Amino acid sequence: VAEYGKKRGDPWGNSSFSVKPTYSAHGDNIDNPSVEDLQWSPTEATVLASAECGGYVRIYDVRCPGKAMISNKVHASGADVNVISWNRLVGNLLASGGDDGSFSVWDLRNFQTPGPSVAPKPLARFQSHRTPITSLEWHPTDESMIAVSDDHGTYIYDLSIEEDDPDRAGKSDEEAAGAVEGEIPPQLLFVHSGSEMTKEVHWHPQIPSCVATTSLSGFSVFIPSNL
């Protein structure tokens, strides 16, 4: 993130403005400071979130340059956070997708932890994907629906559907997360396959439930049959 200052006097420079870096790498990923995705807050004009290598999600306020307001390592394994999506209807919900194939939903009201060694607790975490999450986006009019893509396809989830397995009742978060790994979660409504190396998924802003995707093999536009 950079701040643009006054115009330079040098007409032969690459930019007509002086650029001053506002934020720099910090923490245990300082040797590989890759920022994978950025999202502005839908409710706060000066707040943005970043998805970073090493498993980090950070929240910044441009009124406080030089440091993150909240910084958490959301993947204990250190897997990169590839993408994030801020819910436009419920401003405290942020979704993240990782290089390890998992994606999570976070309540930012409870995202701050007592210390860097304490990981935040997600509202939901899905570990049924076998390849990295490449894109995710909340539905523009349905606060509980989200589209997710990985290398193999595009998936529509409805997070308002609750777990209906009595065998999982009372289990800890770690046990529940392990139980759904590799299984089809009940929140998964629709799968679009046939594309090679899907990279982007987006909802149409005016046509309800219309989805567009881009991939190595081309692009697709479709409406899931069960929505």
Side-chain angles (χ1 to χ4, degrees), residues 32-38 50-54 56 80-84 97:
N32 186 24
S34 174
V35 176
E36 306 296 330
D37 198 9
L38 292 171
S50 68
E52 302 186 16
C53 67
Y56 283 89
D80 294 351
V81 181
N82 293 334
V83 287
I84 51 176

Side-chain angles (χ1 to χ4, degrees), residues 18-164:
S18 60
V19 180
K20 175 185 176 183
T22 304
Y23 302 102
S24 58
H26 55 282
D28 60 6
N29 64 338
I30 193 168
D31 294 328
N32 186 24
S34 174
V35 176
E36 306 296 330
D37 198 9
L38 292 171
Q39 286 268 303
W40 286 103
S41 167
T43 58
E44 300 289 338
T46 60
V47 176
L48 70 154
S50 68
E52 302 186 16
C53 67
Y56 283 89
V57 171
R58 292 188 168 101
I59 309 297
Y60 296 91
D61 190 324
V62 297
R63 295 171 296 182
C64 300
K67 65 176 182 178
M69 305 304 295
I70 303 176
S71 177
N72 273 317
K73 190 172 185 176
V74 299
H75 293 160
S77 64
D80 294 351
V81 181
N82 293 334
V83 287
I84 51 176
S85 179
W86 215 313
N87 194 311
R88 301 292 163 182
L89 303 177
V90 183
N92 57 284
L93 294 184
L94 184 76
S96 66
D99 216 32
D100 58 356
S102 69
F103 82 92
S104 307
V105 178
W106 310 93
D107 185 344
L108 295 180
R109 296 172 298 182
N110 304 317
F111 198 61
Q112 182 68 65
T113 60
S117 61
V118 181
K121 179 181 177 182
L123 289 177
R125 172 167 283 163
F126 299 89
Q127 298 174 290
S128 53
H129 297 263
R130 293 307 192 194
T131 57
I133 304 299
T134 57
S135 182
L136 48 78
E137 186 173 86
W138 291 99
H139 194 286
T141 59
D142 190 327
E143 64 188 31
S144 64
M145 197 168 294
I146 189 169
V148 181
S149 69
D150 61 17
D151 287 348
H152 295 157
T154 302
Y155 312 83
I156 309 298
Y157 288 84
D158 185 351
L159 304 185
S160 66
I161 298 175
E162 297 182 359
E163 179 63 59
D164 196 26

Side-chain angles (χ1 to χ4, degrees), residues 193-214:
S193 300
S195 298
E196 182 182 356
M197 302 289 290
T198 305
K199 292 302 179 186
E200 290 278 347
V201 56
H202 295 289
W203 297 95
H204 195 290
Q206 282 116 9
I207 303 176
S209 301
C210 182
V211 180
T213 67
T214 63

Side-chain angles (χ1 to χ4, degrees), residues 213-226:
T213 67
T214 63
S215 66
L216 184 64
S217 55
F219 69 91
S220 302
V221 179
F222 60 90
I223 297 178
S225 59
N226 54 348

